Amino acid sequence: SVTVTVANNLSQGFNVGFAMWGAGTVTIAAASGATNRSSTSALSTQYQVGSLVVMKQSAAVTAAEFLLGGNFA
């Protein structure tokens, strides 16, 4: 299992994909100042895939807001 922490200073438009190839869980956590706008945060079944997209960033580049898509639950 692994936890990926999303930094608060990622640029608007940043995106990354995730694939759950083996056993365990991939969990997405928001760092201080970052906000997950999805109601989901984990891949926990083999062969699931998902993506993260930063949809909004503050003018000071200290408050990333992101969405998770795909098989995140």
Side-chain angles (χ1 to χ4, degrees), residues 2-52:
V2 65
T3 298
V4 177
T5 302
V6 179
N8 66 355
N9 63 347
L10 294 174
S11 298
Q12 184 171 321
F14 172 86
N15 64 84
V16 63
F18 299 91
M20 183 66 181
W21 190 256
T25 302
V26 175
T27 303
I28 305 299
S32 178
T35 305
N36 179 358
R37 294 295 184 191
S38 301
S39 60
T40 60
S41 63
L43 297 174
S44 59
T45 303
Q46 191 173 21
Y47 308 125
Q48 286 186 324
V49 295
S51 61
L52 177 152

mmCIF file of all heavy atoms in Angstrom, residues 2-52:
data_model
loop_
_atom_site.group_PDB
_atom_site.id
_atom_site.type_symbol
_atom_site.label_atom_id
_atom_site.label_comp_id
_atom_site.label_asym_id
_atom_site.label_seq_id
_atom_site.Cartn_x
_atom_site.Cartn_y
_atom_site.Cartn_z
ATOM 1 N N VAL A 2 0.339 2.312 -0.569
ATOM 2 C CA VAL A 2 1.089 3.569 -0.661
ATOM 3 C C VAL A 2 0.124 4.739 -0.529
ATOM 4 O O VAL A 2 -1.024 4.659 -0.963
ATOM 5 C CB VAL A 2 1.881 3.646 -1.983
ATOM 6 C CG1 VAL A 2 0.951 3.681 -3.169
ATOM 7 C CG2 VAL A 2 2.801 4.839 -2.002
ATOM 8 N N THR A 3 0.607 5.816 0.100
ATOM 9 C CA THR A 3 -0.148 7.066 0.162
ATOM 10 C C THR A 3 0.620 8.110 -0.628
ATOM 11 O O THR A 3 1.813 8.317 -0.394
ATOM 12 C CB THR A 3 -0.335 7.540 1.619
ATOM 13 O OG1 THR A 3 -1.092 6.550 2.321
ATOM 14 C CG2 THR A 3 -1.085 8.868 1.668
ATOM 15 N N VAL A 4 -0.067 8.768 -1.549
ATOM 16 C CA VAL A 4 0.514 9.838 -2.352
ATOM 17 C C VAL A 4 -0.047 11.150 -1.827
ATOM 18 O O VAL A 4 -1.261 11.337 -1.796
ATOM 19 C CB VAL A 4 0.161 9.673 -3.845
ATOM 20 C CG1 VAL A 4 0.701 10.829 -4.659
ATOM 21 C CG2 VAL A 4 0.683 8.341 -4.366
ATOM 22 N N THR A 5 0.836 12.047 -1.383
ATOM 23 C CA THR A 5 0.401 13.339 -0.862
ATOM 24 C C THR A 5 0.502 14.386 -1.961
ATOM 25 O O THR A 5 1.563 14.570 -2.555
ATOM 26 C CB THR A 5 1.261 13.753 0.353
ATOM 27 O OG1 THR A 5 1.156 12.728 1.344
ATOM 28 C CG2 THR A 5 0.780 15.072 0.936
ATOM 29 N N VAL A 6 -0.609 15.057 -2.218
ATOM 30 C CA VAL A 6 -0.684 16.077 -3.271
ATOM 31 C C VAL A 6 -0.259 17.417 -2.680
ATOM 32 O O VAL A 6 -0.876 17.914 -1.737
ATOM 33 C CB VAL A 6 -2.114 16.167 -3.839
ATOM 34 C CG1 VAL A 6 -2.204 17.245 -4.908
ATOM 35 C CG2 VAL A 6 -2.542 14.817 -4.397
ATOM 36 N N ALA A 7 0.798 17.984 -3.235
ATOM 37 C CA ALA A 7 1.338 19.262 -2.752
ATOM 38 C C ALA A 7 0.375 20.409 -3.045
ATOM 39 O O ALA A 7 -0.398 20.359 -4.007
ATOM 40 C CB ALA A 7 2.686 19.530 -3.421
ATOM 41 N N ASN A 8 0.468 21.460 -2.248
ATOM 42 C CA ASN A 8 -0.419 22.608 -2.436
ATOM 43 C C ASN A 8 0.062 23.550 -3.533
ATOM 44 O O ASN A 8 -0.654 24.468 -3.922
ATOM 45 C CB ASN A 8 -0.580 23.385 -1.126
ATOM 46 C CG ASN A 8 0.711 24.038 -0.656
ATOM 47 O OD1 ASN A 8 1.773 23.851 -1.241
ATOM 48 N ND2 ASN A 8 0.626 24.785 0.424
ATOM 49 N N ASN A 9 1.258 23.339 -4.071
ATOM 50 C CA ASN A 9 1.817 24.273 -5.051
ATOM 51 C C ASN A 9 1.873 23.706 -6.475
ATOM 52 O O ASN A 9 2.616 24.219 -7.310
ATOM 53 C CB ASN A 9 3.206 24.736 -4.616
ATOM 54 C CG ASN A 9 4.214 23.598 -4.543
ATOM 55 O OD1 ASN A 9 3.849 22.428 -4.579
ATOM 56 N ND2 ASN A 9 5.479 23.952 -4.431
ATOM 57 N N LEU A 10 1.086 22.684 -6.766
ATOM 58 C CA LEU A 10 1.046 22.157 -8.137
ATOM 59 C C LEU A 10 0.299 23.142 -9.039
ATOM 60 O O LEU A 10 -0.667 23.771 -8.622
ATOM 61 C CB LEU A 10 0.348 20.802 -8.165
ATOM 62 C CG LEU A 10 1.074 19.669 -7.441
ATOM 63 C CD1 LEU A 10 0.213 18.413 -7.425
ATOM 64 C CD2 LEU A 10 2.409 19.387 -8.092
ATOM 65 N N SER A 11 0.736 23.246 -10.268
ATOM 66 C CA SER A 11 0.141 24.184 -11.214
ATOM 67 C C SER A 11 -1.242 23.748 -11.657
ATOM 68 O O SER A 11 -1.524 22.547 -11.779
ATOM 69 C CB SER A 11 1.026 24.307 -12.451
ATOM 70 O OG SER A 11 2.283 24.805 -12.103
ATOM 71 N N GLN A 12 -2.093 24.739 -11.927
ATOM 72 C CA GLN A 12 -3.401 24.454 -12.512
ATOM 73 C C GLN A 12 -3.184 23.719 -13.826
ATOM 74 O O GLN A 12 -2.332 24.091 -14.624
ATOM 75 C CB GLN A 12 -4.153 25.762 -12.757
ATOM 76 C CG GLN A 12 -5.563 25.565 -13.270
ATOM 77 C CD GLN A 12 -6.335 26.873 -13.286
ATOM 78 O OE1 GLN A 12 -6.212 27.683 -12.381
ATOM 79 N NE2 GLN A 12 -7.108 27.070 -14.325
ATOM 80 N N GLY A 13 -3.925 22.624 -14.024
ATOM 81 C CA GLY A 13 -3.770 21.820 -15.229
ATOM 82 C C GLY A 13 -2.859 20.611 -15.045
ATOM 83 O O GLY A 13 -2.841 19.723 -15.884
ATOM 84 N N PHE A 14 -2.093 20.582 -13.951
ATOM 85 C CA PHE A 14 -1.247 19.413 -13.691
ATOM 86 C C PHE A 14 -2.129 18.173 -13.644
ATOM 87 O O PHE A 14 -3.209 18.190 -13.068
ATOM 88 C CB PHE A 14 -0.517 19.577 -12.349
ATOM 89 C CG PHE A 14 0.223 18.335 -11.916
ATOM 90 C CD1 PHE A 14 1.517 18.103 -12.361
ATOM 91 C CD2 PHE A 14 -0.377 17.397 -11.093
ATOM 92 C CE1 PHE A 14 2.207 16.961 -11.967
ATOM 93 C CE2 PHE A 14 0.303 16.248 -10.702
ATOM 94 C CZ PHE A 14 1.593 16.035 -11.146
ATOM 95 N N ASN A 15 -1.680 17.099 -14.272
ATOM 96 C CA ASN A 15 -2.434 15.842 -14.211
ATOM 97 C C ASN A 15 -1.476 14.665 -14.195
ATOM 98 O O ASN A 15 -0.366 14.750 -14.698
ATOM 99 C CB ASN A 15 -3.437 15.744 -15.372
ATOM 100 C CG ASN A 15 -2.756 15.690 -16.709
ATOM 101 O OD1 ASN A 15 -2.353 14.621 -17.147
ATOM 102 N ND2 ASN A 15 -2.612 16.830 -17.362
ATOM 103 N N VAL A 16 -1.948 13.593 -13.572
ATOM 104 C CA VAL A 16 -1.143 12.386 -13.443
ATOM 105 C C VAL A 16 -2.092 11.194 -13.344
ATOM 106 O O VAL A 16 -3.201 11.316 -12.829
ATOM 107 C CB VAL A 16 -0.199 12.469 -12.215
ATOM 108 C CG1 VAL A 16 -0.969 12.563 -10.920
ATOM 109 C CG2 VAL A 16 0.772 11.303 -12.189
ATOM 110 N N GLY A 17 -1.650 10.069 -13.868
ATOM 111 C CA GLY A 17 -2.455 8.851 -13.808
ATOM 112 C C GLY A 17 -1.874 7.853 -12.819
ATOM 113 O O GLY A 17 -0.677 7.872 -12.519
ATOM 114 N N PHE A 18 -2.743 6.977 -12.316
ATOM 115 C CA PHE A 18 -2.359 5.939 -11.362
ATOM 116 C C PHE A 18 -2.924 4.611 -11.836
ATOM 117 O O PHE A 18 -4.029 4.566 -12.367
ATOM 118 C CB PHE A 18 -2.924 6.237 -9.964
ATOM 119 C CG PHE A 18 -2.433 7.522 -9.381
ATOM 120 C CD1 PHE A 18 -3.135 8.698 -9.584
ATOM 121 C CD2 PHE A 18 -1.271 7.560 -8.637
ATOM 122 C CE1 PHE A 18 -2.686 9.892 -9.050
ATOM 123 C CE2 PHE A 18 -0.809 8.740 -8.100
ATOM 124 C CZ PHE A 18 -1.526 9.916 -8.305
ATOM 125 N N ALA A 19 -2.172 3.537 -11.634
ATOM 126 C CA ALA A 19 -2.647 2.189 -11.954
ATOM 127 C C ALA A 19 -2.365 1.284 -10.763
ATOM 128 O O ALA A 19 -1.258 1.277 -10.221
ATOM 129 C CB ALA A 19 -1.948 1.646 -13.196
ATOM 130 N N MET A 20 -3.379 0.546 -10.370
ATOM 131 C CA MET A 20 -3.249 -0.409 -9.265
ATOM 132 C C MET A 20 -2.957 -1.760 -9.882
ATOM 133 O O MET A 20 -3.856 -2.429 -10.385
ATOM 134 C CB MET A 20 -4.560 -0.431 -8.468
ATOM 135 C CG MET A 20 -4.527 -1.309 -7.282
ATOM 136 S SD MET A 20 -3.378 -0.644 -6.096
ATOM 137 C CE MET A 20 -3.516 -1.875 -4.864
ATOM 138 N N TRP A 21 -1.696 -2.157 -9.899
ATOM 139 C CA TRP A 21 -1.304 -3.376 -10.588
ATOM 140 C C TRP A 21 -1.347 -4.594 -9.679
ATOM 141 O O TRP A 21 -1.680 -5.686 -10.107
ATOM 142 C CB TRP A 21 0.091 -3.209 -11.186
ATOM 143 C CG TRP A 21 0.455 -4.329 -12.099
ATOM 144 C CD1 TRP A 21 1.307 -5.364 -11.839
ATOM 145 C CD2 TRP A 21 -0.042 -4.562 -13.404
ATOM 146 N NE1 TRP A 21 1.389 -6.215 -12.904
ATOM 147 C CE2 TRP A 21 0.544 -5.735 -13.903
ATOM 148 C CE3 TRP A 21 -0.940 -3.886 -14.229
ATOM 149 C CZ2 TRP A 21 0.287 -6.256 -15.156
ATOM 150 C CZ3 TRP A 21 -1.204 -4.394 -15.483
ATOM 151 C CH2 TRP A 21 -0.598 -5.566 -15.924
ATOM 152 N N GLY A 22 -1.009 -4.430 -8.426
ATOM 153 C CA GLY A 22 -0.949 -5.561 -7.497
ATOM 154 C C GLY A 22 -1.941 -5.406 -6.362
ATOM 155 O O GLY A 22 -2.929 -4.693 -6.473
ATOM 156 N N ALA A 23 -1.643 -6.064 -5.261
ATOM 157 C CA ALA A 23 -2.496 -6.004 -4.083
ATOM 158 C C ALA A 23 -2.187 -4.747 -3.275
ATOM 159 O O ALA A 23 -1.138 -4.140 -3.437
ATOM 160 C CB ALA A 23 -2.275 -7.242 -3.221
ATOM 161 N N GLY A 24 -3.083 -4.368 -2.396
ATOM 162 C CA GLY A 24 -2.885 -3.211 -1.538
ATOM 163 C C GLY A 24 -3.823 -2.084 -1.907
ATOM 164 O O GLY A 24 -4.850 -2.300 -2.542
ATOM 165 N N THR A 25 -3.430 -0.876 -1.535
ATOM 166 C CA THR A 25 -4.259 0.305 -1.770
ATOM 167 C C THR A 25 -3.373 1.480 -2.145
ATOM 168 O O THR A 25 -2.313 1.671 -1.562
ATOM 169 C CB THR A 25 -5.052 0.671 -0.500
ATOM 170 O OG1 THR A 25 -5.847 -0.452 -0.118
ATOM 171 C CG2 THR A 25 -5.971 1.855 -0.726
ATOM 172 N N VAL A 26 -3.822 2.278 -3.120
ATOM 173 C CA VAL A 26 -3.209 3.568 -3.423
ATOM 174 C C VAL A 26 -4.169 4.616 -2.877
ATOM 175 O O VAL A 26 -5.326 4.681 -3.296
ATOM 176 C CB VAL A 26 -3.002 3.777 -4.940
ATOM 177 C CG1 VAL A 26 -2.485 5.179 -5.216
ATOM 178 C CG2 VAL A 26 -2.052 2.734 -5.507
ATOM 179 N N THR A 27 -3.695 5.400 -1.914
ATOM 180 C CA THR A 27 -4.526 6.434 -1.296
ATOM 181 C C THR A 27 -3.948 7.800 -1.621
ATOM 182 O O THR A 27 -2.739 8.007 -1.545
ATOM 183 C CB THR A 27 -4.573 6.253 0.235
ATOM 184 O OG1 THR A 27 -5.062 4.938 0.520
ATOM 185 C CG2 THR A 27 -5.471 7.280 0.888
ATOM 186 N N ILE A 28 -4.830 8.743 -1.974
ATOM 187 C CA ILE A 28 -4.430 10.109 -2.274
ATOM 188 C C ILE A 28 -4.778 10.977 -1.074
ATOM 189 O O ILE A 28 -5.926 10.974 -0.606
ATOM 190 C CB ILE A 28 -5.147 10.647 -3.534
ATOM 191 C CG1 ILE A 28 -4.927 9.709 -4.729
ATOM 192 C CG2 ILE A 28 -4.690 12.061 -3.848
ATOM 193 C CD1 ILE A 28 -3.500 9.511 -5.147
ATOM 194 N N ALA A 29 -3.787 11.720 -0.569
ATOM 195 C CA ALA A 29 -3.990 12.631 0.558
ATOM 196 C C ALA A 29 -3.635 14.045 0.122
ATOM 197 O O ALA A 29 -2.732 14.242 -0.694
ATOM 198 C CB ALA A 29 -3.120 12.213 1.732
ATOM 199 N N ALA A 30 -4.335 15.019 0.662
ATOM 200 C CA ALA A 30 -4.063 16.425 0.361
ATOM 201 C C ALA A 30 -3.125 16.998 1.417
ATOM 202 O O ALA A 30 -3.371 16.863 2.621
ATOM 203 C CB ALA A 30 -5.359 17.216 0.336
ATOM 204 N N ALA A 31 -2.042 17.633 0.967
ATOM 205 C CA ALA A 31 -1.147 18.325 1.888
ATOM 206 C C ALA A 31 -1.863 19.559 2.435
ATOM 207 O O ALA A 31 -2.904 19.974 1.916
ATOM 208 C CB ALA A 31 0.131 18.741 1.159
ATOM 209 N N SER A 32 -1.304 20.160 3.460
ATOM 210 C CA SER A 32 -1.855 21.395 4.002
ATOM 211 C C SER A 32 -1.953 22.434 2.892
ATOM 212 O O SER A 32 -0.981 22.665 2.166
ATOM 213 C CB SER A 32 -0.948 21.907 5.124
ATOM 214 O OG SER A 32 -1.429 23.123 5.623
ATOM 215 N N GLY A 33 -3.121 23.023 2.717
ATOM 216 C CA GLY A 33 -3.334 24.021 1.666
ATOM 217 C C GLY A 33 -3.893 23.447 0.383
ATOM 218 O O GLY A 33 -4.409 24.171 -0.451
ATOM 219 N N ALA A 34 -3.809 22.134 0.191
ATOM 220 C CA ALA A 34 -4.392 21.481 -0.983
ATOM 221 C C ALA A 34 -5.765 20.931 -0.599
ATOM 222 O O ALA A 34 -6.005 20.589 0.557
ATOM 223 C CB ALA A 34 -3.500 20.357 -1.480
ATOM 224 N N THR A 35 -6.672 20.846 -1.594
ATOM 225 C CA THR A 35 -8.029 20.377 -1.320
ATOM 226 C C THR A 35 -8.473 19.372 -2.368
ATOM 227 O O THR A 35 -8.424 19.659 -3.566
ATOM 228 C CB THR A 35 -9.028 21.554 -1.322
ATOM 229 O OG1 THR A 35 -8.586 22.538 -0.386
ATOM 230 C CG2 THR A 35 -10.426 21.098 -0.948
ATOM 231 N N ASN A 36 -8.909 18.198 -1.905
ATOM 232 C CA ASN A 36 -9.500 17.193 -2.784
ATOM 233 C C ASN A 36 -10.982 17.513 -2.926
ATOM 234 O O ASN A 36 -11.728 17.424 -1.953
ATOM 235 C CB ASN A 36 -9.312 15.793 -2.189
ATOM 236 C CG ASN A 36 -9.911 14.696 -3.039
ATOM 237 O OD1 ASN A 36 -10.507 14.952 -4.072
ATOM 238 N ND2 ASN A 36 -9.767 13.466 -2.606
ATOM 239 N N ARG A 37 -11.426 17.896 -4.103
ATOM 240 C CA ARG A 37 -12.824 18.263 -4.339
ATOM 241 C C ARG A 37 -13.667 17.051 -4.733
ATOM 242 O O ARG A 37 -14.858 17.183 -5.006
ATOM 243 C CB ARG A 37 -12.923 19.350 -5.405
ATOM 244 C CG ARG A 37 -12.319 20.676 -4.976
ATOM 245 C CD ARG A 37 -13.074 21.263 -3.830
ATOM 246 N NE ARG A 37 -12.559 22.576 -3.472
ATOM 247 C CZ ARG A 37 -12.900 23.210 -2.380
ATOM 248 N NH1 ARG A 37 -13.744 22.658 -1.527
ATOM 249 N NH2 ARG A 37 -12.391 24.393 -2.117
ATOM 250 N N SER A 38 -13.076 15.868 -4.742
ATOM 251 C CA SER A 38 -13.800 14.630 -5.030
ATOM 252 C C SER A 38 -14.205 13.983 -3.711
ATOM 253 O O SER A 38 -13.605 14.241 -2.672
ATOM 254 C CB SER A 38 -12.918 13.647 -5.805
ATOM 255 O OG SER A 38 -12.498 14.223 -7.010
ATOM 256 N N SER A 39 -15.195 13.116 -3.782
ATOM 257 C CA SER A 39 -15.602 12.394 -2.573
ATOM 258 C C SER A 39 -14.869 11.061 -2.465
ATOM 259 O O SER A 39 -15.218 10.221 -1.645
ATOM 260 C CB SER A 39 -17.113 12.162 -2.594
ATOM 261 O OG SER A 39 -17.464 11.406 -3.743
ATOM 262 N N THR A 40 -13.853 10.880 -3.282
ATOM 263 C CA THR A 40 -13.114 9.623 -3.341
ATOM 264 C C THR A 40 -11.632 9.871 -3.080
ATOM 265 O O THR A 40 -11.156 10.990 -3.226
ATOM 266 C CB THR A 40 -13.281 8.975 -4.726
ATOM 267 O OG1 THR A 40 -12.760 9.882 -5.703
ATOM 268 C CG2 THR A 40 -14.739 8.684 -5.031
ATOM 269 N N SER A 41 -10.894 8.786 -2.714
ATOM 270 C CA SER A 41 -9.467 8.989 -2.472
ATOM 271 C C SER A 41 -8.625 7.723 -2.559
ATOM 272 O O SER A 41 -7.435 7.760 -2.264
ATOM 273 C CB SER A 41 -9.249 9.613 -1.092
ATOM 274 O OG SER A 41 -9.701 8.737 -0.087
ATOM 275 N N ALA A 42 -9.204 6.573 -2.970
ATOM 276 C CA ALA A 42 -8.401 5.348 -2.943
ATOM 277 C C ALA A 42 -8.705 4.408 -4.109
ATOM 278 O O ALA A 42 -9.838 4.305 -4.563
ATOM 279 C CB ALA A 42 -8.624 4.604 -1.634
ATOM 280 N N LEU A 43 -7.652 3.739 -4.576
ATOM 281 C CA LEU A 43 -7.758 2.595 -5.485
ATOM 282 C C LEU A 43 -7.430 1.375 -4.638
ATOM 283 O O LEU A 43 -6.388 1.351 -3.983
ATOM 284 C CB LEU A 43 -6.745 2.690 -6.634
ATOM 285 C CG LEU A 43 -6.863 3.848 -7.599
ATOM 286 C CD1 LEU A 43 -5.679 3.827 -8.572
ATOM 287 C CD2 LEU A 43 -8.168 3.796 -8.363
ATOM 288 N N SER A 44 -8.284 0.376 -4.627
ATOM 289 C CA SER A 44 -8.025 -0.751 -3.729
ATOM 290 C C SER A 44 -8.241 -2.119 -4.366
ATOM 291 O O SER A 44 -8.146 -3.133 -3.691
ATOM 292 C CB SER A 44 -8.895 -0.636 -2.481
ATOM 293 O OG SER A 44 -10.257 -0.622 -2.843
ATOM 294 N N THR A 45 -8.508 -2.155 -5.652
ATOM 295 C CA THR A 45 -8.716 -3.426 -6.346
ATOM 296 C C THR A 45 -7.710 -3.538 -7.480
ATOM 297 O O THR A 45 -7.476 -2.569 -8.210
ATOM 298 C CB THR A 45 -10.150 -3.515 -6.908
ATOM 299 O OG1 THR A 45 -11.076 -3.340 -5.832
ATOM 300 C CG2 THR A 45 -10.402 -4.836 -7.584
ATOM 301 N N GLN A 46 -7.122 -4.699 -7.630
ATOM 302 C CA GLN A 46 -6.130 -4.923 -8.685
ATOM 303 C C GLN A 46 -6.692 -4.535 -10.045
ATOM 304 O O GLN A 46 -7.857 -4.786 -10.347
ATOM 305 C CB GLN A 46 -5.711 -6.385 -8.692
ATOM 306 C CG GLN A 46 -4.506 -6.660 -9.559
ATOM 307 C CD GLN A 46 -4.012 -8.088 -9.411
ATOM 308 O OE1 GLN A 46 -4.729 -8.978 -8.995
ATOM 309 N NE2 GLN A 46 -2.757 -8.297 -9.750
ATOM 310 N N TYR A 47 -5.869 -3.901 -10.843
ATOM 311 C CA TYR A 47 -6.146 -3.457 -12.216
ATOM 312 C C TYR A 47 -7.062 -2.246 -12.296
ATOM 313 O O TYR A 47 -7.556 -1.917 -13.373
ATOM 314 C CB TYR A 47 -6.687 -4.596 -13.093
ATOM 315 C CG TYR A 47 -5.819 -5.826 -13.051
ATOM 316 C CD1 TYR A 47 -6.338 -7.055 -12.716
ATOM 317 C CD2 TYR A 47 -4.447 -5.750 -13.318
ATOM 318 C CE1 TYR A 47 -5.544 -8.183 -12.660
ATOM 319 C CE2 TYR A 47 -3.648 -6.870 -13.255
ATOM 320 C CZ TYR A 47 -4.197 -8.085 -12.930
ATOM 321 O OH TYR A 47 -3.413 -9.202 -12.865
ATOM 322 N N GLN A 48 -7.275 -1.531 -11.211
ATOM 323 C CA GLN A 48 -8.013 -0.274 -11.279
ATOM 324 C C GLN A 48 -7.074 0.832 -11.758
ATOM 325 O O GLN A 48 -5.864 0.776 -11.546
ATOM 326 C CB GLN A 48 -8.579 0.108 -9.912
ATOM 327 C CG GLN A 48 -9.764 -0.709 -9.498
ATOM 328 C CD GLN A 48 -10.377 -0.187 -8.209
ATOM 329 O OE1 GLN A 48 -9.684 0.274 -7.310
ATOM 330 N NE2 GLN A 48 -11.694 -0.276 -8.120
ATOM 331 N N VAL A 49 -7.655 1.861 -12.373
ATOM 332 C CA VAL A 49 -6.888 3.025 -12.811
ATOM 333 C C VAL A 49 -7.632 4.297 -12.408
ATOM 334 O O VAL A 49 -8.848 4.284 -12.217
ATOM 335 C CB VAL A 49 -6.647 3.031 -14.338
ATOM 336 C CG1 VAL A 49 -5.763 1.873 -14.751
ATOM 337 C CG2 VAL A 49 -7.949 3.006 -15.102
ATOM 338 N N GLY A 50 -6.887 5.373 -12.287
ATOM 339 C CA GLY A 50 -7.497 6.649 -11.939
ATOM 340 C C GLY A 50 -6.579 7.787 -12.317
ATOM 341 O O GLY A 50 -5.422 7.581 -12.689
ATOM 342 N N SER A 51 -7.107 8.999 -12.230
ATOM 343 C CA SER A 51 -6.315 10.172 -12.576
ATOM 344 C C SER A 51 -6.588 11.294 -11.591
ATOM 345 O O SER A 51 -7.621 11.339 -10.930
ATOM 346 C CB SER A 51 -6.636 10.636 -13.998
ATOM 347 O OG SER A 51 -8.001 10.997 -14.089
ATOM 348 N N LEU A 52 -5.634 12.205 -11.514
ATOM 349 C CA LEU A 52 -5.716 13.393 -10.677
ATOM 350 C C LEU A 52 -5.480 14.586 -11.579
ATOM 351 O O LEU A 52 -4.530 14.590 -12.366
ATOM 352 C CB LEU A 52 -4.653 13.327 -9.583
ATOM 353 C CG LEU A 52 -4.523 14.507 -8.633
ATOM 354 C CD1 LEU A 52 -3.980 14.025 -7.300
ATOM 355 C CD2 LEU A 52 -3.672 15.630 -9.165
#
